[in-house]
Amino acid sequence: MELEKKNVCIIGYGSFGTAISILLAGKGHSVSVTDMNKELLANCKAEGENSRYLRGAKIPEGINYILEENGETGFLNEALGKADIVVFAVPAQVFRAAFSGACNFIPDDAIVVDVAKGIEIESLKRLSEVAEELKPGTRYVSLSGPSHAEEVGIGLPTTVAVASDDGEAAKTIQEAFSTDRFRVYTNDDVIGVELGGSLKNIMALGAGISDGLGFGDNAKAALMTRGMAEIMRLGVAMGAKEETFAGLTGVGDLIVTCTSMHSRNRRCGMLIGQGHPVDEAIKEVGMVVEGVYTCEAACKLADKFGVDMPITKSIKACLDGKLAPLDAIDNLMLRSLKNE
């Protein structure tokens, strides 16, 4: 079947925004990209590569870089107004601002795809809830799963899921994004997909701390397994389906984020485990470490829903400087014995 080409606008040109632009442009879609950092966009256009966020991934020609500020002939009127698909690839904590600035220009029938994995700290809302608050009736799709930008950008095999309350929208994105190296499943459990993608970043911090302390595979496997039990408990309490956490956006994403050299959350955790102050570790990683923010939100949600999350709360105590990493491990290991 011949591809139905779409007009796609990507807001945010970090590592994953770049990877998605390469994927979609390579498939023949018309792709426009924008970012607050116009110098970054100009460099990407000149070099054919995002040397700051995704070095080594070749950006195809034909991508439309919105280099001017939003004006009468700028991005909001020109690109967004004719978009079939709008991809938000900005950090979770700035999603509200980015969506608020764009939503009035997004056509009502356009599909909004969010690739960020996080929970808004102030409101404790999932990003689909933020979008619905700002633009009721948004055709919102969450894309999640084990998908490091470094691999997507160079065409290594990757499999993800897209979740939406709008089955037709999810199917459209599945067809628009799927290639022989990027397989897309659909899912109707938006809560589970969003929470799985967000909360696993906390466990990746913990896995990194374990690695930084010099612990072995046994410790990391236990942390990942018991961490998933916490994620699942909170998710089910919030209305997610338990089986979602056994899928790509649950255990799949957890595995890759806790074990990969590409994981910024794991790298940050390793530095903390090695004794670096949290602020210094975040700065060293050089990009947004979503797990740091999600950890705070998750602890508040755990209290709100009455869910026991000892690993999450121990990681939060480490991030807050209230507990040394080694002491946190001792506390977890010496908790009262119980049935699994």
Side-chain angles (χ1 to χ4, degrees):
M1 185 173 65
E2 186 177 352
L3 169 71
E4 182 182 350
K5 295 183 179 180
K6 304 288 187 181
N7 289 320
V8 183
C9 295
I10 299 175
I11 298 177
Y13 213 53
S15 59
F16 206 78
T18 303
I20 289 295
S21 77
I22 293 171
L23 171 78
L24 296 177
K27 195 171 176 183
H29 297 299
S30 175
V31 178
S32 297
V33 302
T34 191
D35 191 279
M36 290 183 64
N37 187 339
K38 303 302 179 185
E39 182 181 354
L40 170 73
L41 294 181
N43 289 339
C44 290
K45 182 176 183 179
E47 298 171 2
E49 178 186 53
N50 190 335
S51 57
R52 178 173 179 180
Y53 292 114
L54 201 64
R55 184 178 297 276
K58 176 66 176 175
I59 300 173
E61 295 181 2
I63 287 180
N64 177 29
Y65 295 90
I66 309 299
L67 298 174
E68 70 269 27
E69 296 300 323
N70 295 334
E72 191 167 287
T73 60
F75 178 74
L76 294 180
N77 291 325
E78 184 179 317
L80 273 181
K82 62 181 182 182
D84 301 305
I85 299 169
V86 182
V87 178
F88 282 85
V90 299
Q93 302 311 315
V94 300
F95 175 78
R96 177 181 290 272
F99 190 80
S100 178
C103 65
N104 289 336
F105 298 88
I106 298 174
D108 290 340
D109 59 349
I111 300 172
V112 170
V113 180
D114 182 59
V115 300
K117 300 174 180 179
I119 299 167
E120 191 174 60
I121 292 178
E122 295 299 324
S123 67
L124 300 183
K125 289 184 176 183
R126 293 174 287 107
L127 301 188
S128 62
E129 294 177 304
V130 175
E132 181 64 20
E133 173 195 333
L134 295 174
K135 185 178 173 67
T138 296
R139 303 186 71 197
Y140 183 96
V141 174
S142 176
L143 185 152
S144 191
S147 51
H148 286 308
E150 292 85 353
E151 297 185 8
V152 175
I154 59 173
L156 295 183
T158 300
T159 307
V160 300
V162 290
S164 180
D165 294 328
D166 182 336
E168 183 180 339
K171 183 69 174 176
T172 297
I173 298 306
Q174 179 184 45
E175 293 172 351
F177 281 54
S178 290
T179 72
D180 60 351
R181 290 294 181 268
F182 195 80
R183 181 172 175 81
V184 183
Y185 287 87
T186 58
N187 193 310
D188 61 2
D189 182 12
V190 179
I191 298 174
V193 167
E194 287 188 302
L195 289 178
S198 301
L199 298 174
K200 54 83 185 175
N201 285 328
I202 303 169
M203 302 310 159
L205 282 170
I209 290 172
S210 178
D211 289 339
L213 288 168
F215 295 159
D217 295 338
N218 293 349
K220 185 155 61 176
L223 185 146
M224 291 167 63
T225 305
R226 297 307 304 162
M228 178 49 72
E230 292 189 13
I231 292 171
M232 191 179 300
R233 282 198 296 268
L234 180 60
V236 170
M238 292 178 64
K241 298 176 182 177
E242 185 173 323
E243 59 267 27
T244 299
F245 299 101
L248 288 165
T249 62
V251 69
D253 210 355
L254 180 76
I255 290 170
V256 78
T257 312
C258 288
T259 62
S260 174
M261 63 180 178
H262 297 309
S263 170
R264 66 190 71 167
N265 290 281
R266 176 175 173 255
R267 294 204 307 272
C268 183
M270 286 182 67
L271 292 168
I272 294 169
Q274 291 166 356
H276 294 264
V278 174
D279 289 347
E280 181 182 305
I282 295 171
K283 184 177 180 180
E284 178 69 21
V285 170
M287 290 186 278
V288 174
V289 182
E290 291 283 13
V292 173
Y293 304 101
T294 305
C295 194
E296 180 178 341
C299 288
K300 292 178 180 178
L301 287 169
D303 291 339
K304 178 180 178 180
F305 286 92
V307 175
D308 186 30
M309 300 185 75
I311 296 174
T312 301
K313 292 194 172 182
S314 292
I315 294 171
K316 178 67 163 58
C318 291
L319 295 175
D320 291 344
K322 297 178 179 178
L323 196 61
L326 191 56
D327 291 336
I329 297 295
D330 288 342
N331 288 353
L332 288 169
M333 292 296 287
L334 294 172
R335 294 174 71 232
S336 60
L337 302 178
K338 56 186 67 178
N339 183 53
E340 185 182 30

